[in-house]
Amino acid sequence: MNGHSDMRKVLAAALAAALCLAGCNDGSSDNDGSQNVDIDLVGDQSYQDIAPPVTTTTSASAEEAASAAPTVPAGYKLWCNIAPYEETDWFEHFCGKGEYEPGYIYYELRDYGGRGKPLALLEKKFKDSSDAYYQTDTMMYAVSLEDEVVEVDKRDGSYRVLYTAQYGSVDILACSDRVGDEEARLVYVNDGDYIVQIDKNTEEYTLPVHSEGGISEIYCQGTWLNVATCRYCVYDKDYIVWADGDENWFWYHPEVDKNEPLVQGENALEKADPSWTIGEEVEFSYPPLDGRTGRVEIACTVEDAIGYREHGMEPGYLYFGQGVYDDYQYYLLLAKRFDDSKTPYQNDDYFYGVSEDKELCRVNKRDGTYEVLCNGVTDFCCTAVPGFTEQAEYMLYSDGKNVIRMDVETGGTETVASSNSGVVRVIYYGWERLEWQESVFANNAFDLSLGCDECKYSQEYFMWEDGGGNYYWYHPERDESEPLDYNALTNGGNY
């Protein structure tokens, strides 16, 4: 969660538009994999042969905060910037006009409102490179001029040193940002020719990568690159994507302690060797959900449609979209095929959809379990109005002969319409939205005069079609279905 001045994330987003990092098993590069790379690949030889022993470091006692740093309530979101060593306009715009000390951390004016002069967080100097700091709602992670990796509490200016350089200069700092993890669980820096992984909670560090060619880029879990990634690493492993000083790229696989070479294609980073795999010894399984939730989607079932088997998704299966564990890989929720022609409904806890076997299913999004609510379902819809109603009150579905209404909150059901010729379609429109679209866009797709003024804004009304092609408007206020000229209602559109 970086502020305006943290250009590192901006640069990462720009990189995303041009790069697509290849995953372990689905690379498609035609490159022959040949490279002249002078680099130690961790895992190809013993760890002791290429790196100093792993050690543990503890921080020094926290320094007293500078007297200028105010105390703010816990949970208050603060934003800060490091004063530049060369004069720039942006710093005064965000942090105030007046004298400031280059390298000091200053609060942004918006945190305290009004006009003012720069307000320092603490009396300690840091490197001002956008590649060398990261901040969360309450903490700043930055590199001091003494090459210390420092965690600063933005609420009171107290700080601790997580790591001090031992092999060279620290010029790059990145923090893990995987959705669902605590903020900045791991801190990554370069130290000379090494990448250092620091656990801020235990204050222990390891040296997973050593490169004779130096380190020029570090990306870790949660960094948005819009990439097709290694499915073994991406959900819960502490992988690293990095580049050496000669712009040779690698994917570090922590589960096998190996670096996989990547090459830059025309528009993407691809596997240097398309046949490279993580190895037979690694057994893949999805990590547990642990009660997490997010938006679910049905993998596309139309073979010639855009998105078919996107990111390796099996057609018809349920997947969490981006955002449950990270920003790159889809997470399988339920290996059961659903009909994506029947628009599903979901809230934070449940997904409602029709399976390919015509079962109306309610899927618990927090653990993947499900129950069948009805068999032989011919159609299904909910009464939520996107943009106007946040939560659906009712589900409407047909078992072939009846229209059944289910109360979403209680789960109670009742039959509200029936036909001897069957029920093939159930229709619900949000009339608030239809009228708004017509007023704003002059959209005359519907003849709004044919909507029932008594009940069209209710979540209990609906329209339905029987097996003979006849349409009806169900009026909940009098529990009655009235014949409807649906073609006239839709101005011949038959939506």
Side-chain angles (χ1 to χ4, degrees):
M1 299 183 187
N2 292 313
H4 328 213
S5 60
D6 191 350
M7 295 303 297
R8 190 160 189 278
K9 287 292 185 181
V10 176
L11 294 174
L15 180 62
L19 301 182
C20 177
L21 303 183
C24 289
N25 299 318
D26 56 358
S28 57
S29 171
D30 294 328
N31 191 286
D32 62 6
S34 61
Q35 283 188 317
N36 182 17
V37 181
D38 181 16
I39 185 167
D40 291 325
L41 299 183
V42 178
D44 291 348
Q45 51 186 307
S46 69
Y47 189 86
Q48 290 77 13
D49 291 339
I50 64 171
V54 176
T55 58
T56 300
T57 183
T58 58
S59 67
S61 300
E63 300 284 344
E64 292 295 328
S67 58
T71 300
V72 297
Y76 189 86
K77 295 183 179 180
L78 298 168
W79 224 250
C80 298
N81 289 302
I82 298 175
Y85 289 91
E86 296 183 4
E87 185 175 346
T88 61
D89 294 333
W90 68 260
F91 179 79
E92 289 191 353
H93 173 75
F94 289 119
C95 298
K97 296 182 180 296
E99 295 184 3
Y100 60 85
E101 185 74 19
Y104 277 20
I105 298 174
Y106 289 85
Y107 291 103
E108 286 194 359
L109 290 176
R110 64 175 178 168
D111 291 326
Y112 298 102
R115 299 171 179 265
K117 62 181 181 179
L119 182 61
L121 175 60
L122 76 164
E123 295 178 356
K124 186 174 182 64
K125 288 195 172 186
F126 294 86
K127 298 182 180 182
D128 67 335
S129 168
S130 59
D131 288 336
Y133 73 91
Y134 179 96
Q135 59 184 310
T136 69
D137 288 346
T138 57
M139 298 293 177
M140 172 83 86
Y141 298 87
V143 179
S144 72
L145 294 186
E146 296 78 30
D147 285 305
E148 302 164 324
V149 180
V150 182
E151 179 189 64
V152 184
D153 191 323
K154 296 187 291 185
R155 295 165 295 187
D156 59 13
S158 60
Y159 73 93
R160 59 175 176 156
V161 176
L162 299 176
Y163 177 83
T164 302
Q166 302 177 44
Y167 313 108
S169 175
V170 176
D171 304 298
I172 305 170
L173 182 148
C175 289
S176 60
D177 194 24
R178 179 184 279 128
V179 174
D181 284 354
E182 67 172 294
E183 294 181 324
R185 177 177 57 88
L186 297 173
V187 181
Y188 292 85
V189 297
N190 72 312
D191 183 358
D193 292 338
Y194 295 92
I195 292 179
V196 183
Q197 175 183 288
I198 306 164
D199 186 320
K200 69 172 186 179
N201 293 324
T202 64
E203 300 181 18
E204 295 180 347
Y205 67 85
T206 58
L207 305 168
V209 173
H210 176 235
S211 167
E212 294 292 344
I215 309 292
S216 63
E217 299 274 358
I218 301 175
Y219 297 96
C220 55
Q221 319 88 42
T223 305
W224 187 75
L225 291 173
N226 194 26
V227 298
T229 57
C230 169
R231 69 190 186 103
Y232 293 95
C233 298
V234 72
Y235 293 109
D236 59 351
K237 305 297 190 298
D238 297 326
Y239 65 88
I240 309 168
V241 179
W242 62 280
D244 66 15
D246 296 321
E247 298 185 355
N248 298 305
W249 286 84
F250 301 87
W251 181 293
Y252 173 70
H253 300 272
E255 64 278 24
V256 292
D257 198 22
K258 293 180 180 178
N259 286 284
E260 176 188 4
L262 306 172
V263 293
Q264 189 160 356
E266 183 177 353
N267 296 307
L269 288 176
E270 303 167 345
K271 293 167 72 74
D273 178 4
S275 65
W276 194 97
T277 64
I278 200 167
E280 296 288 337
E281 69 276 15
V282 177
E283 181 178 352
F284 169 72
S285 63
Y286 285 95
L289 282 171
D290 297 328
R292 303 179 209 188
T293 186
R295 181 162 183 80
V296 174
E297 63 182 270
I298 303 172
C300 183
T301 61
V302 181
E303 190 166 351
D304 60 351
I306 295 175
Y308 181 73
R309 292 190 182 276
E310 183 179 23
H311 299 289
M313 292 191 291
E314 188 69 19
Y317 283 14
L318 286 186
Y319 292 85
F320 278 114
Q322 300 175 5
V324 174
Y325 279 85
D326 52 74
D327 296 324
Y328 319 112
Q329 193 81 356
Y330 288 89
Y331 182 102
L332 179 66
L333 174 62
L334 179 60
K336 181 178 178 64
R337 295 189 188 278
F338 284 80
D339 181 356
D340 59 351
S341 70
K342 303 289 192 295
T343 303
Y345 170 75
Q346 59 186 300
N347 51 35
D348 288 342
D349 298 311
Y350 295 101
F351 170 94
Y352 297 83
V354 180
S355 75
E356 65 176 4
D357 298 321
K358 297 184 177 181
E359 302 166 326
L360 175 59
C361 298
R362 178 169 63 189
V363 183
N364 188 322
K365 294 165 64 174
R366 299 185 186 276
D367 59 16
T369 59
Y370 73 95
E371 58 181 316
V372 177
L373 302 178
C374 183
N375 290 291
V377 173
T378 58
D379 204 7
F380 162 79
C381 67
C382 67
T383 60
V385 184
F388 289 83
T389 303
E390 296 295 328
Q391 174 75 40
E393 293 184 23
Y394 300 102
M395 298 287 161
L396 297 166
Y397 57 92
S398 169
D399 60 3
K401 291 186 178 181
N402 307 289
V403 178
I404 301 168
R405 182 170 60 205
M406 183 183 77
D407 186 300
V408 175
E409 183 176 354
T410 67
T413 61
E414 61 177 325
T415 298
V416 288
S418 301
S419 173
N420 291 331
S421 62
V423 177
V424 297
R425 188 178 179 197
V426 183
I427 307 161
Y428 177 87
Y429 291 128
W431 285 80
E432 304 100 318
R433 190 171 189 85
L434 295 178
E435 292 177 352
W436 172 79
Q437 287 174 336
E438 181 171 272
S439 66
V440 174
F441 303 109
N443 185 344
N444 62 349
F446 294 85
D447 185 344
L448 301 180
S449 67
L450 296 181
C452 174
D453 290 332
E454 290 185 74
C455 63
K456 65 182 179 181
Y457 300 123
S458 167
Q459 288 204 38
E460 297 182 45
Y461 104 90
F462 60 90
M463 294 168 284
W464 58 282
E465 179 188 2
D466 68 13
N470 302 302
Y471 286 84
Y472 302 86
W473 182 294
Y474 175 76
H475 300 272
E477 71 277 10
R478 57 180 186 264
D479 190 23
E480 178 181 294
S481 290
E482 177 184 8
L484 170 69
D485 187 344
Y486 190 71
N487 185 64
L489 176 71
T490 62
N491 286 322
N494 283 322
Y495 298 104

